[in-house]
Amino acid sequence: MAVESGLESHGMNRDGFKNDLFFSCGFCGETFELALDRRKCTCGGVLDLNFKDQPFAPDFRQRRPGLARYREALAVEPALLARASLDASPTPLVELAPGLHAKCDFVSPSGSFKDRGQQVLVAVALGLGASRVVIDSSGNSGAACAAHCAKVGLPCTVVVPDHAPMAKLQQSLGYGASVESATGGRAGATALAASLVDEPGTFYASHSENPFFLEGTKAWAFELWEQLGDAPAEVVISLGSGTLFLGAYEGFRYLMRQGYATRIPRMVAVQAQGWAPLVGDLSHGDTAPLADGIAIENPRRRTQIEAAIVASGGEVRVVNNAEINEATQWLRKHGIWVEPTSGAAWAGSQQKSQALDGPVVVSLGGAGFKSGQMA
Ligand SMILES: [Zn+2]
């Protein structure tokens, strides 16, 4: 997370990154230098980024679209971002009902919102001199990582849980990645990936652990601010690991800190019934998740997610499979071909609990072509 660190001369000076950048543990406060094998704190806690961000340059709107457009707010320098870019940013914003907008990340190069974050992770892998990238993913993040590795020519291994949709595996294979299937669900995939990342020169591109991923999803907020002229009143995001949710929140906080936006949106997280750890409902049993992209039992950044919901006046909404089906079909009848995980977000937006006081933006983060389901 970008904070006013006050530690401008922390001793790091590595090409491609902000000079004052360092890792810190959100749990115990320990700090670490940037390094290829520094994946978590010695206490097991998840790491955050610290660096001193700057205001956007006065002429930043003259820059071409893309993450490097927002370079002053991001930890990674523009040349590295450009090398890994497949031009995932910006994505369209479509008003589907009065005041209700869809942020159409499903049109991203690999078909999901994961592209911005994986562009940053692959840029970081290049900057740290990695020779190989390993990722564990239920599908979309692996495909996004494989796509950006293909762009820069880095070998990529995607470890998937055995319930992952076949269409998503085929996509990673098509980009040239090797795919390994793990038993034991999402946790099994994470365990297998952990056994692979100790090989020297390996970069672990975990979207749920690596804080650089959130540098990419911060740009989701910057794009909305440019598209709407201010931050929206509310954003509605289906939440598994919460990496879009947290990156967006950090992006909105930057915009407020710099005086560019007049508000931080209410951050609304949508979870699927039976797979909703934020409300203590993990009653799914043996049922395969319809919204497979958010079937996460224990989000690594749960404390940060809950803090963002409280601080922004947001909430958690839970949707069932019937609501997810209905929302996904409604979107398709309106020309929007998304996967059920995105249908879940749209279903959550239909449970609105208060009168609109400004635009509401719903993340439609994954293309329907690769879900392998008719919902
Ligand atoms: Zn720690």
Side-chain angles (χ1 to χ4, degrees):
M1 311 265 152
V3 295
E4 300 289 342
S5 70
L7 295 172
E8 291 88 341
S9 56
H10 197 75
M12 260 140 298
N13 189 1
R14 191 185 289 272
D15 287 342
F17 302 98
K18 290 281 198 288
N19 282 337
D20 61 345
L21 182 68
F22 64 98
F23 289 132
S24 67
C25 173
F27 184 69
C28 76
E30 184 68 81
T31 63
F32 302 93
E33 292 192 8
L34 189 59
L36 193 56
D37 60 355
R38 174 51 62 194
R39 293 184 283 273
K40 60 178 75 169
C41 180
T42 47
C43 82
V46 70
L47 297 175
D48 294 326
L49 292 182
N50 294 266
F51 65 96
K52 188 169 175 54
D53 53 27
Q54 302 290 334
F56 291 137
D59 63 347
F60 90 96
R61 291 180 196 274
Q62 308 302 317
R63 297 171 182 158
R64 70 184 302 276
L67 296 188
R69 180 179 178 88
Y70 308 117
R71 63 193 63 167
E72 291 85 1
L74 303 180
V76 184
E77 299 294 354
L80 271 184
L81 292 171
R83 282 178 66 192
S85 178
L86 289 168
D87 283 334
S89 170
T91 55
L93 184 68
V94 179
E95 190 168 13
L96 288 177
L100 189 55
H101 303 255
K103 181 66 167 158
C104 296
D105 279 1
F106 64 90
V107 306
S108 295
S110 79
S112 86
F113 81 88
K114 297 284 175 46
D115 279 337
R116 295 186 197 85
Q118 287 298 339
Q119 177 188 339
V120 175
L121 290 190
V122 171
V124 172
L126 289 173
L128 294 175
S131 56
R132 172 184 183 231
V133 173
V134 169
I135 179 173
D136 54 305
S137 164
S138 60
N140 281 335
S141 203
C145 184
H148 288 85
C149 282
K151 168 76 191 320
V152 303
L154 267 178
C156 178
T157 300
V158 182
V159 183
V160 298
D162 41 16
H163 66 65
M166 183 53 66
K168 292 179 181 176
L169 311 190
Q170 288 171 338
Q171 191 183 10
S172 292
L173 287 166
Y175 288 128
S178 57
V179 173
E180 298 200 22
S181 182
T183 56
R186 194 67 183 74
T190 300
L192 179 55
S195 72
L196 299 175
V197 296
D198 286 336
E199 188 175 313
T202 301
F203 179 79
Y204 183 35
S206 167
H207 73 99
S208 59
E209 296 229 342
N210 195 311
F212 280 104
F213 189 94
L214 305 182
E215 292 299 284
T217 51
K218 275 159 73 173
W220 191 87
F222 303 155
E223 291 174 31
L224 284 179
W225 166 66
E226 288 204 80
Q227 289 168 320
L228 292 168
D230 197 353
E234 180 174 288
V235 298
V236 183
I237 297 173
S238 54
L239 189 142
S241 294
T243 48
L244 174 59
F245 194 86
L246 284 174
Y249 180 61
E250 282 305 306
F252 289 124
R253 287 184 66 208
Y254 168 87
L255 295 171
M256 273 293 283
R257 211 163 52 235
Q258 299 294 347
Y260 301 149
T262 62
R263 58 190 164 201
I264 289 179
R266 292 185 297 276
M267 302 293 299
V268 175
V270 180
Q271 299 210 292
Q273 190 176 75
W275 294 87
L278 294 183
V279 296
D281 175 12
L282 288 173
S283 59
H284 53 81
D286 294 330
T287 310
L290 180 59
D292 62 276
I294 51 172
I296 306 293
E297 295 191 343
N298 186 22
R300 279 287 273 151
R301 296 183 183 273
R302 177 175 181 153
T303 304
Q304 294 171 327
I305 292 164
E306 290 173 338
I309 291 170
V310 170
S312 70
E315 62 189 13
V316 182
R317 297 178 192 164
V318 178
V319 295
N320 62 33
N321 278 350
E323 291 173 292
I324 294 171
N325 257 317
E326 183 183 349
T328 307
Q329 298 302 339
W330 187 92
L331 288 166
R332 290 177 178 182
K333 293 292 188 294
H334 289 76
I336 307 283
W337 195 262
V338 292
E339 63 179 329
T341 301
S342 297
W346 191 256
S349 77
Q350 303 304 300
Q351 293 181 358
K352 51 181 177 289
S353 57
Q354 45 198 311
L356 299 183
D357 54 356
V360 174
V361 174
V362 184
S363 168
L364 300 184
F369 295 110
K370 56 186 186 168
S371 70
Q373 294 166 298
M374 284 304 292

